[in-house]
Amino acid sequence: MHRSGTTMAWNVFKFCTALRGLGSIMILLVLGIVGVTYYAVVWTSYGPALSVGGLESLAALVVILLFHFLLGMLLWSYFSVVFTDPGVVPPNWRPASDEEEQEGERDPLNGLEFGGLQPEASNQRTRFCRKCNQHKPPRCHHCSVCGRCVLKMDHHCVWVVNCVGALNYKYFLLFLFYTFLETTLVTLLLMPHFIAFFSEEEIPGTPSTLATTFLAFVLNLAFALSVMGFLIMHISLVAANTTTIEAYEKKKSPKWPYDLGRKKNFEQVFGMDKKYWLIPAYSEEDLRRMPELQGLEYPSKPDFVSQDF
């Protein structure tokens, strides 16, 4: 039994080490896909039409401008996720007092210790991470890949080489959103070229450009379909004010204190300033008036204290 446990721990360690090792490889892979797509759309398919003149040039210009706008927003959101710390527990952080906890700062996962959920008692116990040797704030979880506790952790994403947590979850959602729009646009733009591959008509272009266009279409179609499903899932999570990890753990605790309604749930991720909803940033006012954006405090339902677990 001891050897089995040691072997499992070693396998998990090797898996986490492998994920860390992906690092720059995944970033280069993303940039490689962007490069192939850019070459197929701008240099091969629509760039040459700019010199033709007339409506064809105007249509090509509109396509290229829209393509560059979505690509710019995609890369801005992507690197914001990559380089933004998801949120770590401050040094010497301690739980709130019992009085503050009774005023609404309750967490149904406070009794959770690495997988088990226990009913909350009147004197709730705070969670403690044995690996980090520190207390865990509400909605905080330990990431074995990063080797630390992450505030409001959603998951560790190999594509962004980072954890997705309280401080970069909005950026991750915008990355999904703009990736879906961009890949869908590219799929529609290259579809006529893809269909032409299977026709008897002669297709202009060199074998390398034709192969690049074919590859770009297949890649963007695959990403558009997969990201669409992922985006729909995260929209439902935002609507319920939960994370991927919490959605799994909520199955054991149907009462969820952080679901304040779709509007407030949305604002806890994207902020209250509408001008910042579609860009990977927050207004200074939102950061000042919304402590939940910092990942340590979360408002809960006023009547949740009176409910039993």
Side-chain angles (χ1 to χ4, degrees), residues 198-219:
F198 303 97
S199 66
E200 297 181 356
E201 299 178 3
E202 184 177 350
I203 307 174
T206 64
S208 60
T209 59
L210 296 178
T212 303
T213 302
F214 185 91
L215 177 61
F217 174 83
V218 173
L219 287 174

Side-chain angles (χ1 to χ4, degrees), residues 18-79:
L19 287 181
R20 293 191 196 103
L22 287 175
S24 58
I25 297 177
M26 298 305 296
I27 297 178
L28 292 176
L29 178 60
V30 170
L31 294 179
I33 296 173
V34 170
V36 169
T37 301
Y38 193 92
Y39 180 81
V41 173
V42 178
W43 288 101
T44 302
S45 301
Y46 289 89
L50 293 175
S51 59
V52 174
L55 291 177
E56 186 176 352
S57 292
L58 180 61
L61 178 62
V62 172
V63 166
I64 290 176
L65 288 177
L66 180 59
F67 174 85
H68 279 88
F69 170 75
L70 293 178
L71 179 61
M73 297 304 296
L74 185 159
L75 292 177
W76 184 12
S77 301
Y78 177 71
F79 285 110

Side-chain angles (χ1 to χ4, degrees), residues 120-234:
E120 239 184 31
S122 56
N123 296 322
Q124 65 172 319
R125 297 185 303 170
T126 58
R127 296 181 302 154
F128 189 85
C129 180
R130 298 191 185 100
K131 296 180 180 179
C132 296
N133 195 31
Q134 65 181 7
H135 292 280
K136 296 166 68 174
R139 313 185 74 176
C140 176
H141 292 79
H142 185 88
C143 176
S144 299
V145 180
C146 297
R148 59 179 181 172
C149 286
V150 176
L151 300 177
K152 197 186 176 184
M153 178 180 172
D154 187 87
H155 70 289
H156 186 94
C157 181
V158 295
W159 286 100
V160 301
V161 201
N162 197 3
C163 254
V164 177
L167 304 187
N168 64 356
Y169 184 50
K170 172 189 174 182
Y171 310 156
F172 176 75
L173 293 178
L174 290 176
F175 167 58
L176 293 182
F177 176 67
Y178 288 116
T179 298
F180 173 69
L181 293 182
E182 177 79 334
T183 54
T184 300
L185 174 66
V186 172
T187 300
L188 295 175
L189 294 176
L190 298 183
M191 185 173 293
H193 302 274
F194 179 78
I195 295 175
F197 277 106
F198 303 97
S199 66
E200 297 181 356
E201 299 178 3
E202 184 177 350
I203 307 174
T206 64
S208 60
T209 59
L210 296 178
T212 303
T213 302
F214 185 91
L215 177 61
F217 174 83
V218 173
L219 287 174
N220 280 271
L221 176 61
F223 276 102
L225 294 176
S226 59
V227 170
M228 179 178 65
F230 208 41
L231 185 60
I232 291 174
M233 182 192 77
H234 277 279

